[in-house]
Amino acid sequence: MTAQDIILKPIITEKSMSGLQNGKYTFKVAKNAGKIEIAKAVEELFGVKVAKVNTLNVRGRSKRMGLHSGYTASWKKAVVTLTPDSKTIEFFDGMM
């Protein structure tokens, strides 16, 4: 898998934006990616140093449309913490 296949998109919410001051960035990642693969992909894509990666599997939400009910797709979220001497990710700089 390439780095673009592992890191799917950034997650931009109030909670994830509050973590930027501590060097924590949140991404939606591939479901089968491990922590080491995620760390290498972030380092390759953004040119930063990763201190640690926390991952969690997000369950699909229950949805219904009329009589029919089902679930949205489940996905994986990664919170990447950068080292204190690392530079910031430029994509997030304009959002703080």
XYZ file of all heavy atoms in Angstrom:
739
model
N 0.840 -1.189 0.000
C 0.000 0.000 0.000
C 0.882 1.248 0.000
O 1.863 1.318 0.715
C -0.888 0.023 1.250
C -1.992 -0.990 1.241
S -2.912 -1.069 2.779
C -3.846 0.416 2.707
N 0.473 2.224 -0.770
C 1.205 3.490 -0.780
C 0.681 4.397 0.328
O -0.348 4.117 0.954
C 1.044 4.199 -2.136
O -0.337 4.538 -2.310
C 1.502 3.322 -3.286
N 1.393 5.491 0.565
C 0.996 6.418 1.627
C -0.361 7.044 1.326
O -1.152 7.299 2.232
C 2.059 7.503 1.792
N -0.656 7.275 0.053
C -1.946 7.857 -0.320
C -3.090 6.871 -0.097
O -4.228 7.290 0.102
C -1.937 8.307 -1.790
C -1.099 9.533 -2.041
C 0.372 9.206 -2.240
O 0.755 8.047 -2.316
N 1.203 10.230 -2.326
N -2.805 5.581 -0.144
C -3.838 4.579 0.111
C -4.124 4.438 1.608
O -5.223 4.042 1.992
C -3.414 3.211 -0.437
C -3.331 3.197 -1.950
O -4.022 4.023 -2.588
O -2.581 2.369 -2.499
N -3.146 4.754 2.449
C -3.315 4.598 3.895
C -4.024 5.804 4.499
O -4.998 5.664 5.230
C -1.950 4.362 4.562
C -1.376 3.025 4.086
C -2.069 4.392 6.077
C 0.036 2.769 4.520
N -3.546 7.016 4.210
C -4.160 8.240 4.736
C -5.245 8.663 3.757
O -4.951 9.111 2.654
C -3.110 9.366 4.897
C -1.932 8.890 5.745
C -3.757 10.614 5.472
C -2.280 8.565 7.165
N -6.509 8.540 4.153
C -7.609 8.823 3.233
C -7.997 10.299 3.238
O -8.117 10.913 2.184
C -8.815 7.951 3.578
C -8.567 6.444 3.517
C -9.820 5.681 3.913
C -8.101 6.040 2.130
N -8.215 10.886 4.433
C -8.559 12.302 4.501
C -8.394 12.794 5.932
O -8.441 12.005 6.881
C -9.981 12.551 4.007
C -11.074 11.967 4.860
C -12.432 12.302 4.258
C -13.554 11.776 5.136
N -14.857 12.130 4.597
N -8.199 14.097 6.106
C -8.125 14.639 7.470
C -9.518 14.768 8.064
O -10.509 14.912 7.352
C -7.480 16.014 7.269
C -7.864 16.391 5.886
C -7.909 15.109 5.096
N -9.592 14.707 9.386
C -10.856 14.890 10.088
C -10.818 16.271 10.730
O -9.928 16.563 11.532
C -11.070 13.796 11.132
C -11.166 12.443 10.438
C -12.318 14.079 11.953
C -11.262 11.271 11.366
N -11.778 17.118 10.357
C -11.794 18.495 10.829
C -13.062 18.701 11.653
O -14.145 18.897 11.101
C -11.718 19.466 9.636
C -10.442 19.197 8.871
C -11.789 20.898 10.112
C -10.359 19.849 7.532
N -12.906 18.610 12.962
C -13.991 18.860 13.895
C -13.469 19.784 14.992
O -12.274 20.066 15.045
C -14.496 17.550 14.529
O -13.420 16.951 15.250
C -15.015 16.582 13.489
N -14.351 20.238 15.859
C -13.911 21.098 16.959
C -12.937 20.367 17.871
O -11.938 20.928 18.310
C -15.118 21.577 17.771
C -15.955 22.619 17.063
C -17.088 23.116 17.944
O -16.949 23.097 19.172
O -18.109 23.535 17.381
N -13.211 19.115 18.163
C -12.345 18.353 19.051
C -10.980 18.106 18.420
O -9.942 18.213 19.089
C -13.004 17.029 19.409
C -12.246 16.239 20.454
C -13.040 15.041 20.913
C -12.294 14.299 22.000
N -13.047 13.137 22.477
N -10.955 17.772 17.125
C -9.667 17.530 16.484
C -8.866 18.820 16.323
O -7.639 18.802 16.389
C -9.864 16.850 15.129
O -10.487 17.712 14.210
N -9.537 19.948 16.139
C -8.822 21.226 16.020
C -8.240 21.666 17.362
O -7.218 22.344 17.402
C -9.752 22.320 15.487
C -10.163 22.131 14.048
S -8.794 22.288 12.914
C -8.666 20.637 12.270
N -8.858 21.269 18.474
C -8.308 21.632 19.775
C -7.023 20.863 20.069
O -6.219 21.299 20.890
C -9.338 21.389 20.875
O -9.597 20.006 20.996
N -6.810 19.739 19.423
C -5.592 18.962 19.622
C -4.395 19.465 18.853
O -3.268 19.019 19.075
N -4.600 20.427 17.955
C -3.493 20.921 17.140
C -2.437 21.639 17.973
O -1.251 21.605 17.628
C -4.013 21.865 16.048
C -4.900 21.238 14.980
C -5.308 22.274 13.950
C -4.223 20.073 14.310
N -2.819 22.296 19.054
C -1.844 22.987 19.900
C -0.890 21.996 20.557
O 0.244 22.348 20.864
C -2.543 23.823 20.990
C -3.244 25.062 20.480
C -4.608 24.764 19.892
O -5.220 23.748 20.218
N -5.094 25.625 19.018
N -1.332 20.764 20.781
C -0.491 19.733 21.384
C 0.228 18.889 20.343
O 0.886 17.902 20.694
C -1.339 18.817 22.274
C -2.024 19.575 23.381
O -1.510 20.572 23.861
N -3.193 19.105 23.782
N 0.087 19.230 19.066
C 0.739 18.472 18.002
C 0.019 17.188 17.652
O 0.638 16.238 17.169
N -1.307 17.144 17.859
C -2.096 15.953 17.545
C -2.960 16.228 16.316
O -3.723 17.185 16.289
C -2.975 15.563 18.733
C -2.185 15.121 19.936
C -3.084 14.634 21.035
C -2.251 14.145 22.203
N -3.067 13.496 23.219
N -2.823 15.373 15.322
C -3.558 15.513 14.070
C -4.394 14.262 13.853
O -3.939 13.148 14.113
C -2.587 15.710 12.907
C -1.780 16.980 13.037
C -0.569 16.994 13.720
C -2.238 18.162 12.487
C 0.161 18.157 13.848
C -1.514 19.333 12.605
C -0.314 19.323 13.291
O 0.402 20.481 13.424
N -5.626 14.440 13.363
C -6.567 13.338 13.222
C -6.836 13.066 11.744
O -7.083 14.003 10.970
C -7.886 13.679 13.935
O -7.589 14.102 15.262
C -8.803 12.485 14.002
N -6.784 11.789 11.367
C -6.992 11.377 9.980
C -7.924 10.183 9.908
O -7.968 9.358 10.827
C -5.660 10.973 9.328
C -4.644 12.072 9.240
C -3.649 12.186 10.181
C -4.703 13.001 8.216
C -2.712 13.186 10.112
C -3.770 14.009 8.132
C -2.767 14.104 9.082
N -8.649 10.083 8.791
C -9.371 8.863 8.451
C -8.387 8.007 7.672
O -7.763 8.480 6.716
C -10.598 9.188 7.600
C -11.413 7.978 7.219
C -12.660 8.362 6.442
C -13.461 7.134 6.085
N -14.692 7.483 5.368
N -8.223 6.750 8.089
C -7.212 5.883 7.480
C -7.854 4.595 6.985
O -9.014 4.298 7.293
C -6.079 5.564 8.490
C -5.328 6.821 8.871
C -6.603 4.870 9.714
N -7.092 3.829 6.234
C -7.560 2.542 5.724
C -7.801 1.591 6.887
O -7.065 1.601 7.875
C -6.542 1.960 4.761
N -8.842 0.761 6.782
C -9.229 -0.127 7.887
C -8.172 -1.177 8.193
O -8.036 -1.610 9.325
C -10.554 -0.817 7.568
C -11.747 0.095 7.720
C -13.023 -0.651 7.510
C -13.311 -1.485 8.730
N -14.660 -2.045 8.738
N -7.400 -1.584 7.203
C -6.419 -2.651 7.427
C -5.015 -2.108 7.700
O -4.067 -2.872 7.752
C -6.393 -3.609 6.238
C -6.059 -2.901 4.937
O -6.022 -1.683 4.870
N -5.847 -3.676 3.896
N -4.863 -0.799 7.905
C -3.554 -0.212 8.157
C -3.201 -0.316 9.632
O -4.046 -0.101 10.505
C -3.536 1.248 7.722
N -1.946 -0.624 9.925
C -1.459 -0.697 11.294
C -0.832 0.624 11.720
O -0.640 1.545 10.915
N -0.484 0.708 13.003
C 0.063 1.949 13.540
C 1.407 2.313 12.900
O 1.669 3.479 12.624
C 0.234 1.836 15.054
C -1.071 1.812 15.808
C -0.830 1.788 17.292
C -2.145 1.784 18.042
N -1.963 1.876 19.485
N 2.250 1.324 12.667
C 3.559 1.587 12.071
C 3.397 2.069 10.638
O 4.074 3.006 10.200
C 4.431 0.320 12.155
C 4.690 -0.032 13.614
C 5.742 0.507 11.405
C 5.349 -1.368 13.834
N 2.494 1.466 9.889
C 2.232 1.892 8.513
C 1.682 3.315 8.476
O 2.062 4.107 7.610
C 1.245 0.945 7.835
C 1.755 -0.452 7.629
C 0.672 -1.392 7.113
O -0.502 -1.183 7.453
O 1.027 -2.323 6.396
N 0.799 3.656 9.414
C 0.223 4.997 9.464
C 1.307 6.026 9.771
O 1.378 7.090 9.153
C -0.923 5.054 10.497
C -2.085 4.182 10.042
C -1.380 6.480 10.724
C -3.131 3.932 11.105
N 2.187 5.707 10.719
C 3.272 6.625 11.079
C 4.200 6.865 9.901
O 4.576 8.015 9.611
C 4.053 6.060 12.263
N 4.567 5.812 9.184
C 5.445 5.970 8.021
C 4.765 6.765 6.908
O 5.405 7.560 6.217
C 5.885 4.600 7.503
C 6.878 3.917 8.415
C 7.290 2.570 7.873
C 8.255 1.887 8.828
N 8.632 0.556 8.347
N 3.462 6.560 6.723
C 2.734 7.280 5.678
C 2.664 8.773 5.986
O 2.844 9.611 5.095
C 1.332 6.710 5.516
N 2.410 9.145 7.257
C 2.352 10.559 7.636
C 3.720 11.203 7.482
O 3.844 12.325 6.975
C 1.817 10.710 9.081
C 1.984 12.129 9.576
C 0.360 10.307 9.140
N 4.781 10.496 7.875
C 6.128 11.031 7.721
C 6.478 11.241 6.253
O 7.099 12.226 5.890
C 7.143 10.101 8.396
C 7.078 10.139 9.903
C 8.005 9.133 10.564
O 8.578 8.282 9.852
O 8.147 9.208 11.797
N 6.056 10.312 5.408
C 6.356 10.408 3.973
C 5.561 11.528 3.293
O 6.094 12.299 2.508
C 6.053 9.072 3.296
C 6.311 9.057 1.808
C 5.903 7.741 1.174
O 5.981 6.697 1.847
O 5.496 7.772 -0.004
N 4.272 11.637 3.622
C 3.410 12.612 2.949
C 3.693 14.047 3.390
O 3.692 14.964 2.564
C 1.938 12.294 3.209
C 1.350 11.108 2.465
C -0.080 10.863 2.910
C 1.390 11.335 0.975
N 3.918 14.251 4.682
C 3.999 15.613 5.208
C 5.398 16.019 5.645
O 5.614 17.171 6.014
C 3.022 15.773 6.385
C 1.604 15.489 6.004
C 0.962 14.346 6.448
C 0.896 16.356 5.180
C -0.346 14.076 6.106
C -0.419 16.092 4.823
C -1.036 14.954 5.280
N 6.357 15.105 5.661
C 7.719 15.435 6.032
C 7.870 15.833 7.486
O 8.576 16.787 7.809
N 7.217 15.133 8.400
C 7.262 15.424 9.837
C 7.766 14.180 10.569
O 7.901 13.108 9.989
C 5.874 15.838 10.373
C 5.425 17.136 9.755
C 4.853 14.748 10.125
N 8.038 14.332 11.872
C 8.451 13.203 12.713
C 7.298 12.830 13.634
O 6.763 13.676 14.336
C 9.666 13.582 13.549
C 10.899 13.856 12.728
C 12.056 14.238 13.627
C 13.268 14.600 12.798
N 14.360 15.091 13.674
N 6.923 11.558 13.617
C 5.786 11.072 14.401
C 6.294 10.469 15.708
O 7.198 9.635 15.711
C 4.989 10.024 13.599
C 3.896 9.412 14.439
C 4.412 10.658 12.347
N 5.697 10.897 16.824
C 6.046 10.343 18.134
C 5.210 9.109 18.434
O 5.734 8.079 18.853
C 5.847 11.393 19.224
N 3.869 9.188 18.236
C 3.022 8.028 18.489
C 1.734 8.131 17.685
O 1.362 9.211 17.217
C 2.736 7.863 19.980
C 1.619 8.655 20.547
C 1.442 8.324 22.023
C 0.388 9.237 22.592
N 0.113 8.983 23.984
N 1.078 6.990 17.544
C -0.177 6.894 16.793
C -1.192 6.147 17.647
O -0.909 5.062 18.151
C 0.030 6.150 15.453
C -1.290 5.989 14.730
C 1.040 6.858 14.586
N -2.357 6.745 17.818
C -3.476 6.077 18.480
C -4.552 5.828 17.426
O -4.882 6.731 16.665
C -4.061 6.936 19.601
C -3.095 7.119 20.743
O -2.250 6.268 20.975
N -3.210 8.222 21.440
N -5.087 4.611 17.390
C -6.112 4.279 16.403
C -7.370 3.809 17.105
O -7.323 3.298 18.224
C -5.644 3.154 15.455
O -5.345 2.005 16.209
C -4.438 3.589 14.652
N -8.501 4.009 16.435
C -9.754 3.471 16.922
C -10.664 3.169 15.747
O -10.643 3.867 14.737
C -10.446 4.413 17.908
C -10.803 5.806 17.452
C -12.161 6.167 18.010
C -9.794 6.781 17.983
N -11.421 2.084 15.904
C -12.391 1.698 14.893
C -13.716 2.360 15.225
O -14.230 2.209 16.330
C -12.556 0.184 14.851
C -11.341 -0.501 14.290
O -10.849 -0.117 13.243
N -10.842 -1.495 14.994
N -14.270 3.079 14.250
C -15.529 3.795 14.445
C -16.642 2.936 13.866
O -16.598 2.537 12.696
C -15.486 5.180 13.758
C -16.786 5.915 13.970
C -14.319 5.986 14.274
N -17.625 2.638 14.701
C -18.747 1.814 14.281
C -19.663 2.585 13.351
O -19.801 3.806 13.473
C -19.558 1.397 15.498
C -19.521 -0.078 15.764
C -20.485 -0.472 16.802
N -20.205 0.225 18.056
C -20.968 0.138 19.118
N -22.049 -0.586 19.088
N -20.664 0.782 20.214
N -20.321 1.892 12.430
C -21.298 2.518 11.558
C -22.538 2.916 12.330
O -22.969 2.216 13.244
N -23.106 4.060 11.991
C -24.301 4.545 12.678
C -25.550 3.922 12.074
O -25.613 3.655 10.882
C -24.385 6.065 12.557
C -23.257 6.747 13.286
C -23.248 8.231 13.073
N -24.573 8.807 13.189
C -24.898 10.002 12.737
N -23.995 10.744 12.132
N -26.111 10.486 12.888
N -26.558 3.734 12.903
C -27.830 3.192 12.435
C -28.596 4.291 11.709
O -28.766 5.387 12.239
C -28.641 2.673 13.619
O -29.903 2.251 13.190
N -29.031 4.012 10.515
C -29.804 4.963 9.716
C -31.061 4.267 9.216
O -31.088 3.060 9.045
C -28.987 5.443 8.507
C -27.767 6.260 8.840
C -28.161 7.656 9.161
C -26.936 8.529 9.281
N -27.268 9.906 9.427
N -32.099 5.051 8.984
C -33.285 4.474 8.366
C -33.881 5.463 7.391
O -33.756 6.673 7.539
C -34.302 4.038 9.406
C -34.731 5.105 10.385
C -35.777 4.588 11.305
N -37.024 4.412 10.557
C -38.130 3.925 11.076
N -38.153 3.545 12.325
N -39.214 3.812 10.364
N -34.521 4.910 6.375
C -35.212 5.704 5.377
C -36.557 5.027 5.155
O -36.636 3.983 4.505
C -34.394 5.771 4.089
C -35.017 6.647 3.028
S -33.929 6.918 1.643
C -32.758 8.030 2.343
N -37.578 5.588 5.766
C -38.888 4.971 5.698
C -38.908 3.684 6.505
O -38.510 3.652 7.657
N -39.340 2.606 5.895
C -39.394 1.316 6.569
C -38.048 0.613 6.603
O -37.841 -0.300 7.394
C -40.400 0.396 5.861
C -41.866 0.816 5.928
C -42.702 -0.113 5.081
C -42.345 0.790 7.364
N -37.142 1.004 5.739
C -35.870 0.315 5.599
C -34.847 0.907 6.563
O -34.709 2.119 6.682
C -35.363 0.431 4.166
C -36.369 -0.030 3.156
N -36.667 -1.353 2.972
C -37.166 0.662 2.313
C -37.603 -1.461 2.034
N -37.928 -0.247 1.616
N -34.137 0.028 7.240
C -33.091 0.491 8.145
C -31.795 -0.233 7.820
O -31.802 -1.327 7.253
C -33.481 0.238 9.601
O -33.599 -1.136 9.841
N -30.695 0.399 8.182
C -29.384 -0.193 7.923
C -28.318 0.586 8.665
O -28.612 1.385 9.560
N -27.079 0.352 8.319
C -25.957 0.993 8.977
C -25.056 1.655 7.942
O -24.916 1.167 6.824
C -25.127 -0.041 9.751
C -25.815 -0.546 10.991
C -26.632 -1.664 10.940
C -25.654 0.097 12.198
C -27.271 -2.128 12.075
C -26.289 -0.352 13.346
C -27.086 -1.470 13.277
O -27.710 -1.907 14.397
N -24.451 2.770 8.336
C -23.427 3.377 7.496
C -22.158 2.549 7.636
O -22.028 1.724 8.542
C -23.157 4.830 7.919
O -22.716 4.847 9.273
C -24.397 5.697 7.769
N -21.213 2.775 6.765
C -19.991 1.982 6.765
C -19.134 2.312 7.992
O -19.046 3.459 8.421
C -19.199 2.253 5.495
N -18.499 1.299 8.552
C -17.567 1.532 9.647
C -16.227 1.963 9.051
O -15.927 1.678 7.889
C -17.402 0.268 10.486
O -16.917 -0.788 9.695
N -15.417 2.670 9.848
C -14.141 3.186 9.363
C -13.156 3.279 10.509
O -13.490 3.015 11.655
C -14.329 4.529 8.666
C -15.096 5.556 9.446
C -16.450 5.597 9.634
C -14.579 6.672 10.156
N -16.787 6.667 10.416
C -15.660 7.356 10.744
C -13.296 7.174 10.356
C -15.491 8.498 11.513
C -13.131 8.323 11.112
C -14.226 8.966 11.673
N -11.915 3.634 10.196
C -10.855 3.690 11.186
C -10.311 5.104 11.274
O -10.116 5.767 10.259
C -9.730 2.724 10.804
C -8.697 2.492 11.876
C -7.755 1.380 11.443
C -6.955 0.861 12.594
N -6.118 -0.283 12.203
N -10.073 5.561 12.512
C -9.564 6.903 12.766
C -8.212 6.780 13.444
O -8.008 5.911 14.288
C -10.543 7.658 13.652
C -10.098 9.043 14.042
C -11.174 9.916 14.643
C -11.957 9.348 15.766
N -12.837 10.326 16.415
N -7.274 7.665 13.086
C -5.948 7.678 13.695
C -5.649 9.071 14.211
O -5.839 10.057 13.497
C -4.892 7.258 12.692
N -5.192 9.155 15.459
C -4.734 10.408 16.053
C -3.217 10.319 16.106
O -2.652 9.500 16.835
C -5.330 10.631 17.453
C -4.812 11.930 18.041
C -6.834 10.633 17.387
N -2.547 11.155 15.319
C -1.099 11.118 15.178
C -0.499 12.246 16.011
O -0.853 13.409 15.831
C -0.695 11.271 13.691
C 0.803 11.285 13.539
C -1.316 10.167 12.868
N 0.411 11.909 16.921
C 1.099 12.888 17.744
C 2.505 13.083 17.187
O 3.239 12.104 16.995
C 1.177 12.419 19.211
O -0.140 12.137 19.664
C 1.803 13.491 20.083
N 2.873 14.340 16.939
C 4.194 14.646 16.411
C 5.178 14.902 17.541
O 4.795 15.246 18.661
C 4.121 15.883 15.504
C 3.136 15.807 14.335
C 3.235 17.079 13.507
C 3.404 14.604 13.462
N 6.465 14.750 17.246
C 7.495 15.045 18.237
C 7.552 16.548 18.456
O 7.190 17.327 17.571
C 8.864 14.542 17.759
O 9.174 15.156 16.505
C 8.870 13.030 17.595
N 8.006 17.006 19.641
C 8.047 18.454 19.914
C 8.962 19.238 18.970
O 8.692 20.398 18.669
C 8.576 18.523 21.350
C 8.284 17.194 21.935
C 8.345 16.208 20.814
N 10.038 18.607 18.470
C 10.951 19.316 17.576
C 10.526 19.244 16.111
O 11.168 19.840 15.248
C 12.372 18.770 17.734
C 12.454 17.284 17.384
O 11.434 16.591 17.497
O 13.548 16.838 16.997
N 9.424 18.559 15.804
C 8.953 18.424 14.426
C 8.207 19.681 13.989
O 7.627 20.397 14.803
C 8.023 17.218 14.322
O 7.505 17.112 13.016
N 8.238 19.930 12.680
C 7.457 21.054 12.163
C 5.978 20.672 12.098
O 5.626 19.505 12.237
C 7.968 21.465 10.778
C 7.798 20.405 9.712
C 8.302 20.886 8.375
C 7.994 19.832 7.326
N 7.394 20.362 6.154
N 5.118 21.666 11.892
C 3.679 21.404 11.820
C 3.295 20.974 10.406
O 4.064 21.138 9.465
C 2.874 22.653 12.207
O 3.189 23.701 11.280
C 3.197 23.100 13.618
N 2.088 20.457 10.274
C 1.559 20.085 8.967
C 0.895 21.319 8.372
O -0.019 21.894 8.976
C 0.576 18.907 9.084
C 1.318 17.672 9.608
C -0.077 18.605 7.741
C 0.433 16.467 9.842
N 1.350 21.774 7.205
C 0.918 23.030 6.624
C -0.574 23.061 6.318
O -1.204 24.120 6.360
C 1.693 23.343 5.332
C 3.169 23.559 5.518
C 3.964 22.268 5.507
O 3.417 21.236 5.064
O 5.112 22.290 5.970
N -1.153 21.915 6.003
C -2.579 21.867 5.653
C -3.452 22.388 6.792
O -4.439 23.044 6.569
C -2.969 20.414 5.302
C -4.418 20.231 5.020
C -4.936 20.595 3.792
C -5.284 19.728 5.977
C -6.289 20.444 3.510
C -6.629 19.572 5.716
C -7.124 19.934 4.475
N -3.081 22.086 8.033
C -3.877 22.461 9.192
C -3.573 23.858 9.703
O -4.294 24.374 10.547
C -3.657 21.459 10.334
C -4.250 20.102 10.073
C -3.468 19.096 9.539
C -5.564 19.824 10.361
C -4.002 17.839 9.308
C -6.104 18.581 10.137
C -5.324 17.572 9.603
N -2.486 24.494 9.238
C -2.061 25.790 9.793
C -3.089 26.881 9.569
O -3.296 27.736 10.429
C -0.719 26.211 9.194
C 0.414 25.399 9.752
O 0.212 24.762 10.810
O 1.499 25.360 9.133
N -3.771 26.911 8.441
C -4.744 27.954 8.157
C -6.060 27.800 8.903
O -6.893 28.677 8.889
N -6.256 26.670 9.581
C -7.540 26.392 10.233
C -7.549 26.724 11.715
O -8.588 26.671 12.336
C -7.886 24.917 10.048
C -8.073 24.547 8.618
S -8.551 22.855 8.472
C -8.261 22.606 6.747
N -6.395 27.017 12.288
C -6.351 27.277 13.725
C -6.809 28.660 14.070
O -6.861 29.565 13.388
C -4.938 27.086 14.271
C -4.533 25.642 14.246
S -3.164 25.193 15.316
C -1.833 26.177 14.761
